[in-house]
Amino acid sequence: MTGYVYVGSLSDQLLCRRTGHDPLRTNGPFAARSSLMTEHTGIHVRRADHVGFAVASLDEALRFWVDGLGARLVRTGEMGGEFLGQVTGAHGAKVRMAIVSLPDQTIELLEYQGPERPSEPAKPFDPGFAHLALVVDDIDALLVRIAAYGWKAQGIPQPIASGARAGTRVIYAVGPDGATIEFMQPPATAQDR
């Protein structure tokens, strides 16, 4: 990437390194993105508001989030009708919902009633799948605790080998509904700051 600077996603940067393309050229693989960036300079994302999870059982999800992870229950409610159909595309559905709060993170839990559900949950490597990453102080104790709520670690926590987060131990855990949370435990020196 000598000769130009590109600030973009890691996958974009890796593609540039592999292909040798200047992402800002008008005929390169990122030409459309480059022009979009300049056309929409008045649009600004202000902040992330919450992360939502569709769940099979709101009661079981609340047990995990509140009892298992120590989240605070903010509110519960129900939604449906035209509003829900227009916002989510789940026309004719009803939703029982709850909002829970962790430090610096709001979680929306949604139990849809009505629409057909896939027979098997998506996998963390399926296109379009998303996960939430939470920083914890004791990843091993946490994995034992969440197992009681049906959450399964996908392997053994692994340390990040290099970079700004070197030494941070990470692991994906998948819940009974297929939701994925990445747990991250920074090295002791980073936690003490």
Side-chain angles (χ1 to χ4, degrees), residues 86-163:
Q86 289 297 323
V87 172
T88 68
H91 298 280
K94 292 181 181 177
V95 171
R96 290 181 57 220
M97 57 83 66
I99 304 293
V100 297
S101 177
L102 290 168
D104 298 321
Q105 186 63 63
T106 300
I107 311 294
E108 181 180 53
L109 303 169
L110 304 160
E111 179 187 318
Y112 284 86
Q113 300 164 345
E116 262 187 55
R117 296 183 183 163
S119 58
E120 189 173 314
K123 303 285 187 233
F125 46 83
D126 288 342
F129 192 90
H131 72 275
L132 170 67
L134 298 174
V135 177
V136 300
D137 56 4
D138 186 342
I139 202 166
D140 299 304
L142 179 106
L143 292 175
V144 170
R145 180 176 181 90
I146 67 173
Y149 298 92
W151 285 72
K152 295 180 176 88
Q154 297 302 288
I156 299 169
Q158 297 295 303
I160 296 174
S162 62

Side-chain angles (χ1 to χ4, degrees), residues 134-137 165-169 184-192:
L134 298 174
V135 177
V136 300
D137 56 4
R165 294 187 177 180
T168 298
R169 295 175 67 214
M184 307 175 72
Q185 179 185 334
T189 56
Q191 289 182 26
D192 298 334

Side-chain angles (χ1 to χ4, degrees), residues 14-178:
L14 292 173
L15 180 61
C16 288
R17 285 188 194 122
R18 273 199 318 261
T19 63
H21 284 102
D22 179 340
L24 302 178
R25 286 189 327 199
T26 56
N27 61 352
F30 303 100
R33 255 188 235 171
S34 180
S35 65
L36 285 175
M37 289 188 306
T38 58
E39 290 175 17
H40 298 292
T41 57
I43 298 172
H44 302 282
V45 174
R46 295 180 183 193
R47 65 183 174 86
D49 184 75
H50 66 274
V51 174
F53 289 99
V55 300
S57 167
L58 184 61
D59 297 328
E60 288 300 310
L62 283 171
R63 198 168 74 82
F64 168 71
W65 286 95
V66 174
D67 299 341
L69 292 183
R72 180 176 61 88
L73 177 61
V74 176
R75 70 177 180 273
T76 61
E78 294 185 1
M79 296 183 286
E82 184 68 12
F83 172 83
L84 183 66
Q86 289 297 323
V87 172
T88 68
H91 298 280
K94 292 181 181 177
V95 171
R96 290 181 57 220
M97 57 83 66
I99 304 293
V100 297
S101 177
L102 290 168
D104 298 321
Q105 186 63 63
T106 300
I107 311 294
E108 181 180 53
L109 303 169
L110 304 160
E111 179 187 318
Y112 284 86
Q113 300 164 345
E116 262 187 55
R117 296 183 183 163
S119 58
E120 189 173 314
K123 303 285 187 233
F125 46 83
D126 288 342
F129 192 90
H131 72 275
L132 170 67
L134 298 174
V135 177
V136 300
D137 56 4
D138 186 342
I139 202 166
D140 299 304
L142 179 106
L143 292 175
V144 170
R145 180 176 181 90
I146 67 173
Y149 298 92
W151 285 72
K152 295 180 176 88
Q154 297 302 288
I156 299 169
Q158 297 295 303
I160 296 174
S162 62
R165 294 187 177 180
T168 298
R169 295 175 67 214
V170 296
I171 187 73
Y172 275 21
V174 177
D177 296 328

